[in-house]
Amino acid sequence: MFDPEAEIWWGIPEFDILAKNITVPGFSPLFPEAHCTETGEICQLVTGESEINAAVTISSLVASPLFDLTSTYFLIGGIAGINPEVATIASVTFARYAVQVALQYEFDVREIPDNFTTGYIPQGSTVPDQYPQSIYGTEVFEVNDALKKIAVGFARAATLNDTAEAVAYRAMYNPTNDTGALYAAGAEPPSVVECDVATSDVYYSGKILGEAFSNFTRLVTNGTGVYCATAQEDNATLEALLRGHLAGLVDFSRIIVMRTASDMDRQYPGEAATTNLFWSNQGAFEPAVQNIYLAGVKVVEGILGGWNTTFAQGVNATNYIGDIFGTIGGEPDFGPGSVFNNNPVTLTRRGLGKRSLKKKEMKGRRGYTYRIGQ
């Protein structure tokens, strides 16, 4: 997504990613080239930061006649904030779900009702725990879980980087420091973790927002998603690749979403949220960048090494893959179900429980009507 995440792959002993440099129209003016090995087996691009940059860059890649991407595996490799309830700084995370957590209504926290825990309300809804009634289509993506687990196995062969500063900062989240067991994962050494990623252009920090977006992740994935990483680009990247899949240009089942943890998304007890974001010496930026390469190269080598036996034909997805609309086929296991059938679908059978959704219809912006409840 930006310079350090790209440069960590340059000059490595395993392969030369700078052997061929190809200017691609539509790429970021700051990062106009795709970088490839001499054989073209491995290529790298830099999207630029935030959702708009990622969407435009990946759309430009998909539309470019310079590449045949029909059998390409895509490894998203970038740093992220981390939820200390699930993992810790310098860890490597692999996601099944990417959730656009900021695609909601927002009120300043000073103007919310006393019984609201957050100023974020799902679109079309009137309370924080009500499933979104107005759906745009980019709220949730689900990628190939079987492929993800293979990538996790490859990555666990890596020895992860760490620093003394990160060790010291982690200790502030230790259960003996007034956190109970809540942040026990945040006090552990870095590891490879299966958990999900939130997309937000807003670079947020703090316990309240972290908990609000964790709750939203669970809500919109029907209780399945586990929020741990926070980044700025992934839903935009996935939407562009999904549209490429629709055009027959890429295979959406060949996407791996990997994020390494450069900072805690919330403060430890007794610390201010602003201190956590602005002034704390967490010591994890450098190891997080290093671990993109250290874990990611194992994934790249694993795919190339098993190309003829496993990866050329693709890894069969045993879970639903795609967006919340069911755009590329199948029935989403979250949300209101596919909009590409002619029948209203219910949410109650999806285990949402009591959310005050009974006997209500909502009209999507695309003219589809979703019936909520029985």
Side-chain angles (χ1 to χ4, degrees):
M1 275 53 76
F2 72 132
D3 303 85
E5 296 169 345
E7 293 168 2
I8 196 62
W9 293 93
W10 301 353
I12 63 174
E14 292 85 356
F15 46 80
D16 180 8
I17 203 71
L18 299 177
K20 288 185 176 180
N21 301 292
I22 305 163
T23 299
V24 181
F27 273 21
S28 166
L30 297 177
F31 312 106
E33 295 178 325
H35 307 296
C36 299
T37 58
E38 187 64 38
T39 63
E41 284 186 316
I42 309 166
C43 291
Q44 178 200 65
L45 66 81
V46 187
T47 64
E49 296 166 278
S50 82
E51 293 182 72
I52 291 174
N53 279 320
V56 175
T57 296
I58 299 300
S59 295
S60 299
L61 170 73
V62 169
S64 174
L66 299 172
F67 301 93
D68 177 358
L69 304 172
T70 51
S71 61
T72 295
Y73 284 83
F74 295 89
L75 172 64
I76 297 173
I79 60 172
I82 198 71
N83 173 7
E85 294 183 9
V86 181
T88 194
I89 45 179
S91 289
V92 180
T93 72
F94 288 86
R96 173 176 174 176
Y97 297 101
V99 178
Q100 195 176 12
V101 294
L103 187 55
Q104 302 189 65
Y105 296 147
E106 182 184 2
F107 297 94
D108 189 291
V109 69
R110 293 166 293 186
E111 296 180 317
I112 63 175
D114 292 339
N115 63 332
F116 280 19
T117 57
T118 174
Y120 281 89
I121 314 298
Q123 291 195 137
S125 301
T126 56
V127 292
D129 65 346
Q130 187 179 27
Y131 204 93
Q133 307 293 290
S134 178
I135 296 175
Y136 289 1
T138 58
E139 288 85 352
V140 188
F141 292 92
E142 186 172 354
V143 298
N144 188 337
D145 195 51
L147 176 61
K148 180 199 75 173
K149 291 183 182 302
I150 292 173
V152 166
F154 290 147
R156 284 183 173 151
T159 300
L160 301 181
N161 193 263
D162 204 3
T163 64
E165 291 84 0
V167 171
Y169 198 74
R170 256 184 231 114
M172 305 306 294
Y173 292 80
N174 193 292
T176 61
N177 289 339
D178 301 322
T179 66
L182 185 61
Y183 297 152
E188 293 292 320
S191 62
V192 177
V193 183
E194 297 177 64
C195 54
D196 300 309
V197 63
T199 294
S200 169
D201 269 342
V202 175
Y203 193 133
Y204 59 85
S205 175
K207 181 174 184 289
I208 294 173
L209 284 177
E211 290 179 346
F213 292 146
S214 180
N215 292 339
F216 185 74
T217 297
R218 282 195 299 271
L219 177 68
V220 295
T221 60
N222 291 20
T224 307
V226 177
Y227 157 72
C228 72
T230 168
Q232 293 179 302
E233 298 86 13
D234 293 347
N235 282 57
T237 294
L238 292 172
E239 176 66 16
L241 290 173
L242 182 135
R243 296 189 189 189
H245 179 106
L246 277 176
L249 300 173
V250 303
D251 182 350
F252 196 82
S253 72
R254 299 185 179 214
I255 300 170
I256 300 165
V257 182
M258 183 186 79
R259 288 282 180 169
T260 64
S262 61
D263 59 281
M264 298 290 194
D265 77 339
R266 68 200 70 182
Q267 69 276 28
Y268 58 78
E271 184 186 39
T274 49
T275 301
N276 174 68
L277 179 61
F278 295 144
W279 298 295
S280 62
N281 179 21
Q282 299 195 27
F285 179 84
E286 290 295 336
V289 171
Q290 288 282 343
N291 289 340
I292 295 171
Y293 155 64
L294 292 172
V297 75
K298 300 296 185 183
V299 177
V300 174
E301 290 182 320
I303 291 174
L304 289 178
W307 187 261
N308 292 330
T309 58
T310 302
F311 297 101
Q313 66 267 33
V315 175
N316 183 51
T318 56
N319 61 302
Y320 168 78
I321 60 169
D323 63 1
I324 196 171
F325 281 156
T327 300
I328 61 175
E331 184 73 11
D333 51 3
F334 52 87
S338 175
V339 304
F340 294 99
N341 55 42
N342 294 318
N343 302 307
V345 293
T346 65
L347 287 176
T348 53
R349 65 185 173 86
R350 299 182 176 278
L352 286 179
K354 296 180 180 178
R355 303 228 183 252
S356 302
L357 298 179
K358 292 183 178 179
K359 296 182 180 178
K360 182 177 180 180
E361 291 185 346
M362 64 176 180
K363 284 192 177 293
R365 292 168 65 90
R366 304 176 55 181
Y368 295 97
T369 300
Y370 310 119
R371 187 178 303 278
I372 311 302
Q374 296 177 341

